[in-house]
Amino acid sequence: MNSHSEDQNDRAAWLKGHSAQCSGVPEGRERPWRLVLLGAPGVGKGTQADLLTRRVGACHLSTGDVFREAKTRNGREQTLAMAAALNFMRRGALVPDAIVWELIRERTSCLHCRSGFVLDGFPRTLAQSQALNVLLESEGLFLDAVINYEVPVAEIVARLSGRRTCESCRAIFHLTSHPPLAEGICDHCGGALTQREDDRPESVAVRLETYQRSTAPLIDFYRRRGLLINVVATGSPQSVFERTIAALEVRGKLAGGASESECAVPVAP
Ligand code: AMP
């Protein structure tokens, strides 16, 4: 999961910043999807974003992936702001809004991607969601839906502590529910599987507490704007994906021919 094949958008402009050019961007749909994924750390947003991307071509815009990409540069080309951001991330704390916002503003062109987008991990605070609303409105863009994934806390802790990520292609495995064929080695590219620093127990506790305090209020924010879709995210990734697609179908989001007024909800200030 979460690996990108050659015929998929390589997300270069998102991961590396505005000077980079994406390759493999799918042909735009008449109505590109513009979605936001919400949910506590470990509910599987990254996996679902990847499945959604494969199904509808929309680009997977993960702020966490931008930070992890910067981390691989090991000080080379890293700005002071990015180095500070990585320190917050290591502890499981949120990166300050100002740094995140600068990153988003630099990547505004990604919001116009002809294949649409699935935002994953952003927005994460009320200030970020308000700023996103203003930006989308000024760019003449609309969100189609905000999908909120729900999983009991005990299951989240088990998921995060067993998660292993490929250092090369970022494919995600789990020690018990999705183990690699050979221990510690990625099935897809042979890269080394490691535990994310922020998946260690002390960081997980901070992340869950931070989620409750800073991100959970966004559920109500988007519910009031008529954009929220709740999806129970227990069970296999495929079953969660099918629930997601079914929920989107109910709202008419999958109807290729649906007009803007039928399926897009304008972003309220
Ligand atoms: P994720 O992969 O989305 O779980 O993000 C990993 C880490 O990156 C988070 O625990 C935060 O430290 C940082 N991060 C990612 N996105 C944001 C955001 N929108 N606001 C603040 N911090 C973020």
Side-chain angles (χ1 to χ4, degrees), residues 86-268:
L86 295 179
N87 270 328
F88 284 98
M89 186 180 166
R90 247 170 238 125
R91 286 185 272 123
L94 288 187
V95 174
D97 284 340
I99 298 180
V100 176
W101 188 241
E102 189 54 30
L103 177 157
I104 296 291
R105 276 200 333 103
E106 278 176 1
R107 291 164 173 77
T108 302
S109 63
C110 293
L111 300 175
H112 286 276
C113 184
R114 64 175 188 230
S115 58
F117 61 76
V118 180
L119 273 171
D120 159 22
F122 176 86
R124 240 179 169 106
T125 64
L126 276 176
Q128 290 179 13
S129 48
Q130 280 152 354
L132 176 66
N133 265 7
V134 172
L135 178 66
L136 288 172
E137 203 172 38
S138 68
E139 298 288 320
L141 296 169
F142 298 85
L143 289 180
D144 292 303
V146 175
I147 302 168
N148 178 41
Y149 289 109
E150 301 175 305
V151 173
V153 171
E155 188 172 330
I156 290 178
V157 173
R159 285 186 187 190
L160 291 176
S161 56
R163 179 159 70 177
R164 296 293 180 273
T165 310
C166 173
E167 284 184 351
S168 307
C169 73
R170 298 214 176 82
I172 298 170
F173 295 84
H174 192 276
L175 294 182
T176 52
S177 63
H178 178 41
L181 295 172
E183 196 184 325
I185 297 173
C186 176
D187 292 354
H188 307 292
C189 73
L193 300 183
T194 53
Q195 183 173 43
R196 278 169 45 169
E197 277 178 300
D198 59 351
D199 278 350
R200 295 192 182 132
E202 58 281 15
S203 301
V204 167
V206 175
R207 287 164 73 197
L208 289 175
E209 195 271 324
T210 305
Y211 168 77
Q212 278 309 333
R213 188 170 18 93
S214 303
T215 312
L218 269 62
I219 296 171
D220 203 43
F221 178 89
Y222 286 116
R223 182 184 292 120
R224 281 189 279 112
R225 283 159 178 77
L227 285 167
L228 196 76
I229 297 177
N230 285 311
V231 173
V232 174
T234 51
S236 69
Q238 194 56 38
S239 65
V240 177
F241 181 58
E242 276 153 25
R243 260 174 251 145
T244 304
I245 293 295
L248 286 165
E249 269 168 352
V250 166
R251 309 230 334 182
K253 302 290 183 246
L254 276 183
S259 70
E260 189 109 346
S261 58
E262 277 172 309
C263 66
V265 181
V267 179

Side-chain angles (χ1 to χ4, degrees), residues 60-71:
H60 177 188
L61 306 184
S62 153
T63 37
D65 281 352
V66 175
F67 293 130
R68 283 182 285 278
E69 170 76 20
K71 202 165 127 194

